[in-house]
Amino acid sequence: MKRKWRDMEQALGFTVLRLSAVIIIVILAFILYDVFSKGAGVINWEFLSDKPRKGMTEGGIWPAIVGTFWVSLVTVIVSVPIGMFTAIYLNEYAKQGRLIRIIRLAIRNLSGVPSIVYGLFGFALFTLMLNLGLSVISSGLTLGLLTLPWTITASEEALKTVPRSYREGALALGATKWQTIRTNVLPYAVPGMLTGTILGLARAAGETAPILFTGVAFFWPVLPKFPQMLSQQFMALPYHLFIMSTQHHEIVKVRPLAYGTALVLIFLIVLMNSVAVVIRYRFRKKYKRV
Amino acid sequence: MKKLIAVLFLVTVITGTVVAQDFMQIKGSDTLINLVQRLAEVYMEENPNIAIAVTGGGSGVGIASLIADRVQIANASREMKDKEKDAAKENGVIPYEIVVGIDGLSVVVNAANGVESLTVDQIGRIFRGEISNWKDVGGSDMPISLYGRQANSGTYAFFQEFVLLKKDYSQKMKRMNGNAQIIEGVLADKAAIGYVGIGYVYDDNHEVREGLTVLKVAKEAGATPVTPLVAENVKSGSYPIARALYQYVNGKPTGAVKDFITFELGPKGQKIVEEMSFYPVSGPYLEQNKKAGF
Amino acid sequence: MQNRKHKNKAVILRQLRENIIERFFQVNGLFAVIVLVGIFSLLLIEGLPALQSLGLKEFFLNRIWDPTSFERESYGLLSMIVSTLMVTLGAMVIAVPLGILCAAYIADIAKPRVREIIKPVIEILAGIPSVVIGFMGIIVVGPMLAKIFGTSNGLNAMNGSILLAVMSLPTIISISEDAILAVPQEFKNASLALGATRWQTLVRVTIPAAMSGIIASVMLGMGRAIGETMTVLMATGNAPAMPGGFFDSVRTMTATIAIELGETVQGGIHYKSLFVIGFVLFLMTFVVNLVSDVVLQKYQKVSR
């Protein structure tokens, strides 16, 4: 009798656990289904390649795609080198101590700073003080700082997966620390770092609050040439979705376009995530063989 | 690789400080943004060598940017405040005012509500939170649900000044992100009341949206309530909460800015103003625009 | 002799180069500290004049936030702090049980194949941008809430809580899962050997042993909810009044900054007071992070 009760308890408990996992899957499935079923209808070549037309009730989102691309690129250029170098320092050079504790604490806290506070900081520092104005570069710098903790963490994880023996081997042969890192550590860690970079990029691409005051525009359909455009405003996918769902004068009419924008945004992010996962997977496989 | 990054940075820093002059930045009012976006779109089709960036954020945002000399044109659905004029002067910015259209600021309720007209005073008290149930203004017994704009909006400021008579809004008013969101809220909410630019009450076929009642407004108790849906009422000023839609520029406009504003005030531009359901510039405002050289 | 001298020089040069390289990496390492201190000081420097001229009392005892009022400009943070905490609390009520249960499922009973499915699900969920979630809040959750509860609209604190729960779930799940996985197998084996069922082992041994990690995950999830901007801006209606319940429209600290920053005259008292909000927000998330940090540290020591 007692045994039976215990088994029932366990069955019930496990059902609850399974149910919770099912709820999570249902939430995601619902979001994806809703966005896909209502957004897929507007996706065509024109939507992807054209600028908004007829008071943004027709046409496409190409400028927003381009804007998001450029800002993300600046983000990566700002955040990845610093992130990687920091990770190398933390994992390869630094000895346990007060400095390291402080740096780690700073990184963890940076990752917890709200995105709007980064926006506030970026606006005051880049847009106003450094006089970079409302521009791709201001937004990219802001997002670069925002993503920094992620790139550091991801790069460090990648460095940690490189076995200790690789380093010891090189050092034993008389290589200097830097030579060891360059030849025996980095080549194995770079794919992992790349994964982290892409994941960071994906998150940066979806951020709105930090670009709100540092450069994003309601309507900026022109696609200027490369260096000038860095100092100009831009359209971005997440912000475009924001205005299409809250500020446009025909929000009900343009709802399909909003859904389409959401679909493209989610697609890009899932795509980047998948690429990252594939790289990580192949990297792991390669590792096993070594 | 590192060198490339360094060079890239240098380039961006240099180009960041030297702003190219072949483009124009317009920023400000959310009431005007859809209108000005459309104007810019058509203008750019005719003048492909000029690029215009349109950004929203609210009248306050636009004016603040003009004061800081970061935009060429600021959209505003209210007049510049004295405080702002002083700040502009301090920064060496001389704002010129242009009226691009007229708006009959509309007070809207859900069609299921039944109330069709209110006095300015009643509306003011409703939004101040002094009247909080529809039964007090001739409706059914339900608590009033307030929809308004955020403080950065010119509509918010205009309404506060002329309808609330500079008193505070009820803290319970929902602060929506844009005019269209107010409309959507009112359509979904039987107990709602909201205020929007006249352009937002119409659907595609230029008819008032289904499910929406645009209130007739009386200047005072006993006066005849007037609807903003008739152009004449707004132009003549018999509709009590009509207002001008402004653009501000730094100094007397020249070059591309002048060309663009000329286009806005010309027949094509004014037709777009009407298409977006605002009213064209007329009467004393035409005189006012002359001061800025138009 | 000549040769040896040459070699010495090479060694010294090499050493020098190594030192320079190490310094270079160290400077990069310090960058994170500089940024954190930079954010802190900038918020403080910009916000301090507002604090000085208006006084702490105005900010923390006044319930009304209305900096553009014609009657009396008010800078009370109280109702937006309460709003932020309320929306966050609501989110945690939903996300904490759900997140921990799900983490326990993944870590303890899911088959590897199921795990392969659900891990990416959580990663993708974490990657969905906040505007998309906010969009869902306007179009799906809002009308649904209005219908279920018979309220006139669904733009309220509860809407925000539901959305923030979704946004903080991935954080809670993945960190809790790590914590549960980190519980040594011997603990579980001992419990099972004593005749406990897997369920009893999970509830009475594994989860308590992983508790500090779970608490840390909850704190981090909470930090995320406190700092989230776009979703609440889009879905909670943004009425600045002191909320009376979850069906009231609320305006959080993040939303206030997002709404008003562009509007203010730069350098003015309103502008500066937004930095005060930012500073308070920064402190709140800082404390939350610090607590989770301390808890985690403790847990690492225990599991060692």
Side-chain angles (χ1 to χ4, degrees):
Chain A
M1 189 61 206
K2 202 180 170 198
R3 167 142 238 129
K4 214 169 171 187
W5 162 240
R6 278 178 34 173
D7 287 348
M8 255 170 67
E9 184 193 47
Q10 167 151 323
L12 195 73
F14 281 10
T15 310
V16 170
L17 293 190
R18 280 199 194 95
L19 204 66
S20 69
V22 168
I23 292 175
I24 308 286
I25 294 175
V26 167
I27 292 172
L28 180 73
F30 176 80
I31 296 173
L32 294 183
Y33 170 77
D34 191 55
V35 170
F36 190 82
S37 64
K38 290 172 185 156
V42 299
I43 305 284
N44 52 35
W45 181 241
E46 188 207 347
F47 184 72
L48 296 175
S49 66
D50 200 2
K51 56 189 178 190
R53 288 184 191 284
K54 293 263 160 68
M56 300 172 87
T57 57
E58 284 172 25
I61 54 168
W62 177 240
I65 296 175
V66 175
T68 293
F69 170 79
W70 280 111
V71 170
S72 305
L73 191 72
V74 175
T75 305
V76 167
I77 292 173
V78 173
S79 141
V80 170
I82 300 175
M84 281 185 181
F85 298 156
T86 303
I88 292 172
Y89 175 69
L90 289 176
N91 204 53
E92 306 296 325
Y93 284 99
K95 294 157 202 81
Q96 283 303 321
R98 205 174 184 163
L99 182 65
I100 293 306
R101 279 223 308 279
I102 292 172
I103 292 177
R104 286 193 191 284
L105 190 70
I107 294 166
R108 272 198 296 273
N109 276 296
L110 274 184
S111 69
V113 172
S115 54
I116 188 75
V117 172
Y118 278 101
L120 206 57
F121 179 70
F123 176 66
L125 183 67
F126 302 129
T127 304
L128 300 183
M129 281 184 200
L130 299 180
N131 206 16
L132 293 170
L134 300 171
S135 61
V136 171
I137 196 88
S138 292
S139 290
L141 286 167
T142 309
L143 284 176
L145 297 183
L146 176 88
T147 51
L148 188 61
W150 309 337
T151 35
I152 295 174
T153 313
S155 301
E156 227 194 322
E157 299 272 303
L159 286 171
K160 276 194 184 133
T161 59
V162 180
R164 192 158 282 276
S165 56
Y166 285 32
R167 301 183 179 87
E168 281 158 0
L171 286 171
L173 288 173
T176 64
K177 194 139 198 175
W178 170 236
Q179 283 165 341
T180 308
I181 294 168
R182 210 182 49 198
T183 57
N184 280 30
V185 177
L186 283 184
Y188 302 97
V190 159
M193 291 177 164
L194 210 60
T195 308
T197 306
I198 297 170
L199 288 175
L201 187 68
R203 283 176 76 174
E207 282 287 348
T208 315
I211 59 176
L212 215 49
F213 303 106
T214 52
V216 78
F218 184 92
F219 180 66
W220 178 229
V222 183
L223 307 169
K225 295 211 178 53
F226 167 61
Q228 292 95 322
M229 57 96 52
L230 288 177
S231 67
Q232 294 175 0
Q233 285 189 269
F234 58 95
M235 290 176 79
L237 284 170
Y239 185 69
H240 194 65
L241 173 59
F242 175 64
I243 57 176
M244 289 304 239
S245 56
T246 61
Q247 297 189 322
H248 193 274
H249 62 121
E250 297 264 15
I251 42 178
V252 178
K253 190 180 163 196
V254 298
R255 187 138 296 157
L257 295 182
Y259 266 114
T261 311
L263 181 55
V264 172
L265 185 58
I266 290 182
F267 176 78
L268 283 178
I269 286 166
V270 172
L271 183 76
M272 284 193 262
N273 273 295
S274 321
V275 170
V277 169
V278 168
I279 293 175
R280 186 165 58 193
Y281 178 72
R282 290 180 64 170
F283 169 53
R284 272 196 196 142
K285 244 168 98 181
K286 201 168 103 190
Y287 236 103
K288 276 183 191 147
R289 261 190 266 130
V290 169
Chain B
M1 180 64 190
K2 252 177 264 162
K3 249 184 204 161
L4 188 79
I5 293 168
V7 168
L8 210 76
F9 256 104
L10 211 66
V11 168
T12 55
V13 169
I14 291 164
T15 51
T17 45
V18 185
V19 178
Q21 264 307 312
D22 59 339
F23 79 98
M24 204 189 299
Q25 279 177 300
I26 306 181
K27 196 168 186 185
S29 165
D30 286 326
T31 307
L32 275 103
I33 190 158
N34 292 290
L35 167 65
V36 174
Q37 185 271 329
R38 186 86 182 99
L39 286 164
E41 189 185 325
V42 174
Y43 180 77
M44 280 155 79
E45 272 164 25
E46 290 177 11
N47 304 275
N49 56 331
I50 294 167
I52 304 175
V54 185
T55 314
S59 301
V61 180
I63 291 172
S65 306
L66 187 82
I67 292 170
D69 202 17
R70 279 202 307 276
V71 294
Q72 280 70 46
I73 301 178
N75 294 331
S77 57
R78 59 168 171 83
E79 269 186 284
M80 230 168 141
K81 295 175 190 164
D82 287 339
K83 242 196 241 171
E84 291 166 336
K85 282 181 184 158
D86 294 344
K89 213 178 273 170
E90 256 173 58
N91 278 9
V93 169
I94 310 150
Y96 273 76
E97 183 179 278
I98 293 126
V99 176
V100 289
I102 297 167
D103 179 22
L105 189 54
S106 307
V107 181
V108 291
V109 297
N110 190 293
N113 185 309
V115 173
E116 298 220 322
S117 66
L118 291 170
T119 66
V120 174
D121 178 58
Q122 278 174 323
I123 298 170
R125 277 161 57 197
I126 286 173
F127 276 95
R128 288 201 294 268
E130 292 160 17
I131 299 177
S132 59
N133 195 303
W134 280 112
K135 69 173 189 228
D136 297 332
V137 288
S140 46
D141 181 11
M142 54 184 173
I144 299 175
S145 167
L146 300 171
Y147 288 79
R149 288 297 317 282
Q150 293 155 355
N152 52 351
S153 146
T155 314
Y156 174 101
F158 178 88
F159 204 77
Q160 185 171 33
E161 192 168 351
F162 293 98
V163 181
L164 276 70
L165 304 174
K166 301 197 179 183
K167 299 255 177 58
D168 290 341
Y169 279 102
S170 162
Q171 291 265 314
K172 290 213 163 133
M173 180 176 83
K174 283 179 266 304
R175 266 69 164 175
M176 311 303 276
N177 293 302
N179 282 288
Q181 222 187 354
I182 295 180
I183 292 283
E184 210 188 1
V186 172
L187 285 174
D189 187 343
K190 264 195 306 205
I193 185 167
Y195 55 82
V196 292
I198 180 89
Y200 290 86
V201 306
Y202 294 106
D203 63 14
D204 284 353
N205 305 321
H206 208 81
E207 278 166 33
V208 174
R209 272 171 219 271
E210 217 181 300
L212 197 70
T213 302
V214 180
L215 292 182
K216 292 182 190 127
V217 180
K219 240 174 210 146
E220 59 230 346
T224 338
V226 174
T227 175
L229 298 174
V230 178
E232 230 9 81
N233 293 346
V234 176
K235 282 186 204 163
S236 69
S238 68
Y239 180 72
I241 33 187
R243 58 168 173 175
L245 301 173
Y246 300 96
Q247 286 191 324
Y248 288 93
V249 293
N250 178 14
K252 220 170 193 176
T254 52
V257 175
K258 182 170 184 166
D259 197 47
F260 177 64
I261 295 174
T262 309
F263 164 82
E264 288 184 310
L265 299 175
K268 262 191 201 158
Q270 289 297 301
K271 188 153 174 275
I272 292 173
V273 169
E274 279 185 278
E275 273 168 23
M276 301 300 283
S277 306
F278 294 109
Y279 299 116
V281 184
S282 62
Y285 293 124
L286 287 172
E287 290 302 309
Q288 194 184 330
N289 284 346
K290 276 186 188 146
K291 269 189 247 163
F294 294 96
Chain C
M1 185 68 192
Q2 184 85 23
N3 202 0
R4 209 163 131 201
K5 206 174 173 186
H6 219 77
K7 210 172 171 185
N8 263 343
K9 209 172 158 191
V11 167
I12 289 167
L13 262 177
R14 205 168 91 158
Q15 195 60 46
L16 191 71
R17 212 183 68 161
E18 282 296 306
N19 278 340
I20 291 172
I21 290 171
E22 181 168 349
R23 284 271 166 245
F24 170 77
F25 286 123
Q26 192 176 33
V27 167
N28 274 287
L30 286 173
F31 191 75
V33 182
I34 296 169
V35 174
L36 190 72
V37 173
I39 293 176
F40 178 86
S41 350
L42 193 92
L43 293 174
L44 195 63
I45 291 166
E46 291 280 356
L48 209 54
L51 271 178
Q52 278 168 341
S53 69
L54 295 170
L56 282 172
K57 228 171 112 186
E58 171 69 20
F59 277 103
F60 295 102
L61 293 178
N62 190 349
R63 283 161 152 244
I64 297 169
W65 171 267
D66 195 353
T68 54
S69 168
F70 287 97
E71 294 175 55
R72 180 188 182 280
E73 293 171 7
S74 298
Y75 294 90
L77 302 184
L78 218 52
S79 37
M80 68 177 93
I81 294 177
V82 170
S83 297
T84 293
L85 293 178
M86 202 170 105
V87 174
T88 305
L89 183 78
M92 290 301 111
V93 167
I94 302 167
V96 168
L98 198 56
I100 295 175
L101 289 174
C102 188
Y105 172 76
I106 299 172
D108 212 68
I109 65 171
K111 295 190 187 75
R113 259 188 47 210
V114 180
R115 205 177 299 170
E116 291 291 309
I117 296 172
I118 199 162
K119 290 283 276 184
V121 164
I122 290 159
E123 272 177 30
I124 293 173
L125 196 62
I128 303 251
S130 49
V131 266
V132 175
I133 306 274
F135 183 56
M136 292 285 129
I138 295 175
I139 289 168
V140 181
V141 181
M144 193 182 80
L145 285 177
K147 214 168 182 183
I148 294 175
F149 296 101
T151 49
S152 61
N153 66 79
L155 297 172
N156 52 32
M158 187 176 276
N159 193 339
S161 289
I162 292 174
L163 300 179
L164 290 184
V166 171
M167 300 211 65
S168 50
L169 270 172
T171 311
I172 296 180
I173 293 174
S174 58
I175 297 174
S176 293
E177 186 207 334
D178 287 347
I180 294 173
L181 279 176
V183 174
Q185 190 60 39
E186 300 90 68
F187 282 33
K188 296 178 208 167
N189 289 345
S191 167
L192 291 171
L194 287 172
T197 60
R198 273 173 74 200
W199 169 252
Q200 286 169 331
T201 305
L202 176 68
V203 174
R204 298 195 195 144
V205 178
T206 315
I207 290 183
M211 198 39 96
S212 42
I214 292 172
I215 292 173
S217 81
V218 171
M219 296 306 283
L220 289 179
M222 204 161 103
R224 177 130 201 234
I226 290 174
E228 183 45 52
T229 310
M230 298 316 285
T231 38
V232 286
L233 173 64
M234 291 164 85
T236 59
N238 298 319
M242 179 67 83
F246 277 93
F247 292 111
D248 278 355
S249 166
V250 296
R251 181 154 108 180
T252 64
M253 303 164 76
T254 50
T256 305
I257 299 175
I259 290 167
E260 295 180 6
L261 180 61
E263 155 210 2
T264 56
V265 176
Q266 273 123 43
I269 203 97
H270 183 188
Y271 173 83
K272 293 200 183 306
S273 65
L274 293 177
F275 283 84
V276 176
I277 302 181
F279 186 68
V280 174
L281 205 52
F282 180 90
L283 286 185
M284 280 165 79
T285 48
F286 188 85
V287 168
V288 165
N289 271 296
L290 212 62
V291 170
S292 86
D293 224 50
V294 170
V295 175
L296 261 183
Q297 220 103 69
K298 213 172 106 192
Y299 132 84
Q300 272 163 355
K301 261 182 212 148
V302 169
S303 69
R304 249 179 238 152

